[in-house]
mmCIF file of all heavy atoms in Angstrom:
data_model
loop_
_atom_site.group_PDB
_atom_site.id
_atom_site.type_symbol
_atom_site.label_atom_id
_atom_site.label_comp_id
_atom_site.label_asym_id
_atom_site.label_seq_id
_atom_site.Cartn_x
_atom_site.Cartn_y
_atom_site.Cartn_z
ATOM 1 N N GLY W 193 3.026 10.606 9.846
ATOM 2 C CA GLY W 193 1.706 10.435 9.221
ATOM 3 C C GLY W 193 0.755 11.531 9.693
ATOM 4 O O GLY W 193 -0.467 11.374 9.656
ATOM 5 N N LYS W 194 1.325 12.652 10.155
ATOM 6 C CA LYS W 194 0.521 13.776 10.650
ATOM 7 C C LYS W 194 -0.070 14.550 9.467
ATOM 8 O O LYS W 194 0.442 14.460 8.339
ATOM 9 C CB LYS W 194 1.423 14.738 11.453
ATOM 10 C CG LYS W 194 2.114 14.095 12.651
ATOM 11 C CD LYS W 194 3.008 15.073 13.402
ATOM 12 C CE LYS W 194 4.268 15.499 12.691
ATOM 13 N NZ LYS W 194 5.330 14.487 12.644
ATOM 14 N N PRO W 195 -1.101 15.378 9.720
ATOM 15 C CA PRO W 195 -1.561 16.276 8.651
ATOM 16 C C PRO W 195 -0.412 17.220 8.280
ATOM 17 O O PRO W 195 0.411 17.552 9.145
ATOM 18 C CB PRO W 195 -2.703 17.058 9.314
ATOM 19 C CG PRO W 195 -3.079 16.287 10.542
ATOM 20 C CD PRO W 195 -1.857 15.539 10.977
ATOM 21 N N ILE W 196 -0.369 17.657 7.024
ATOM 22 C CA ILE W 196 0.742 18.503 6.540
ATOM 23 C C ILE W 196 0.930 19.729 7.455
ATOM 24 O O ILE W 196 2.043 20.058 7.847
ATOM 25 C CB ILE W 196 0.462 18.994 5.098
ATOM 26 C CG1 ILE W 196 0.166 17.825 4.161
ATOM 27 C CG2 ILE W 196 1.584 19.895 4.589
ATOM 28 C CD1 ILE W 196 1.323 17.187 3.489
ATOM 29 N N GLU W 197 -0.200 20.369 7.818
ATOM 30 C CA GLU W 197 -0.126 21.613 8.589
ATOM 31 C C GLU W 197 0.448 21.373 9.987
ATOM 32 O O GLU W 197 0.969 22.281 10.620
ATOM 33 C CB GLU W 197 -1.531 22.246 8.746
ATOM 34 C CG GLU W 197 -2.260 22.533 7.438
ATOM 35 C CD GLU W 197 -2.814 21.275 6.750
ATOM 36 O OE1 GLU W 197 -2.920 20.216 7.410
ATOM 37 O OE2 GLU W 197 -3.116 21.350 5.541
ATOM 38 N N SER W 198 0.341 20.146 10.482
ATOM 39 C CA SER W 198 0.845 19.828 11.828
ATOM 40 C C SER W 198 2.207 19.146 11.770
ATOM 41 O O SER W 198 2.576 18.410 12.681
ATOM 42 C CB SER W 198 -0.152 18.928 12.567
ATOM 43 O OG SER W 198 -1.355 19.588 12.782
ATOM 44 N N GLY W 199 2.929 19.365 10.678
ATOM 45 C CA GLY W 199 4.279 18.800 10.590
ATOM 46 C C GLY W 199 4.359 17.529 9.765
ATOM 47 O O GLY W 199 5.381 16.845 9.789
ATOM 48 N N GLY W 200 3.288 17.197 9.059
ATOM 49 C CA GLY W 200 3.318 16.008 8.201
ATOM 50 C C GLY W 200 4.128 16.251 6.940
ATOM 51 O O GLY W 200 4.515 17.380 6.654
ATOM 52 N N SER W 201 4.373 15.167 6.208
ATOM 53 C CA SER W 201 5.162 15.288 4.974
ATOM 54 C C SER W 201 4.264 15.195 3.750
ATOM 55 O O SER W 201 3.294 14.432 3.735
ATOM 56 C CB SER W 201 6.186 14.153 4.894
ATOM 57 O OG SER W 201 6.886 14.223 3.663
ATOM 58 N N GLN W 202 4.648 15.938 2.732
ATOM 59 C CA GLN W 202 4.034 15.734 1.421
ATOM 60 C C GLN W 202 4.203 14.260 1.068
ATOM 61 O O GLN W 202 5.253 13.672 1.339
ATOM 62 C CB GLN W 202 4.748 16.576 0.362
ATOM 63 C CG GLN W 202 4.543 18.059 0.477
ATOM 64 C CD GLN W 202 3.133 18.486 0.101
ATOM 65 O OE1 GLN W 202 2.378 17.718 -0.498
ATOM 66 N NE2 GLN W 202 2.766 19.691 0.469
ATOM 67 N N GLY W 203 3.189 13.678 0.472
ATOM 68 C CA GLY W 203 3.332 12.325 -0.064
ATOM 69 C C GLY W 203 3.216 11.206 0.958
ATOM 70 O O GLY W 203 3.287 10.035 0.598
ATOM 71 N N ARG W 204 3.010 11.515 2.262
ATOM 72 C CA ARG W 204 2.950 10.425 3.245
ATOM 73 C C ARG W 204 1.658 9.628 3.105
ATOM 74 O O ARG W 204 1.660 8.414 3.205
ATOM 75 C CB ARG W 204 3.085 10.952 4.683
ATOM 76 C CG ARG W 204 2.859 9.880 5.779
ATOM 77 C CD ARG W 204 3.852 8.734 5.648
ATOM 78 N NE ARG W 204 3.611 7.633 6.588
ATOM 79 C CZ ARG W 204 2.872 6.560 6.356
ATOM 80 N NH1 ARG W 204 2.202 6.433 5.201
ATOM 81 N NH2 ARG W 204 2.771 5.609 7.250
ATOM 82 N N GLU W 205 0.540 10.349 2.851
ATOM 83 C CA GLU W 205 -0.738 9.634 2.813
ATOM 84 C C GLU W 205 -0.740 8.558 1.719
ATOM 85 O O GLU W 205 -1.200 7.443 1.935
ATOM 86 C CB GLU W 205 -1.878 10.625 2.589
ATOM 87 C CG GLU W 205 -3.227 10.019 2.943
ATOM 88 C CD GLU W 205 -4.386 10.753 2.288
ATOM 89 O OE1 GLU W 205 -4.413 11.990 2.346
ATOM 90 O OE2 GLU W 205 -5.257 10.058 1.726
#
Side-chain angles (χ1 to χ4, degrees):
K194 301 179 290 286
I196 306 272
E197 303 74 17
S198 296
S201 176
Q202 291 289 345
R204 173 59 185 92
E205 197 200 313

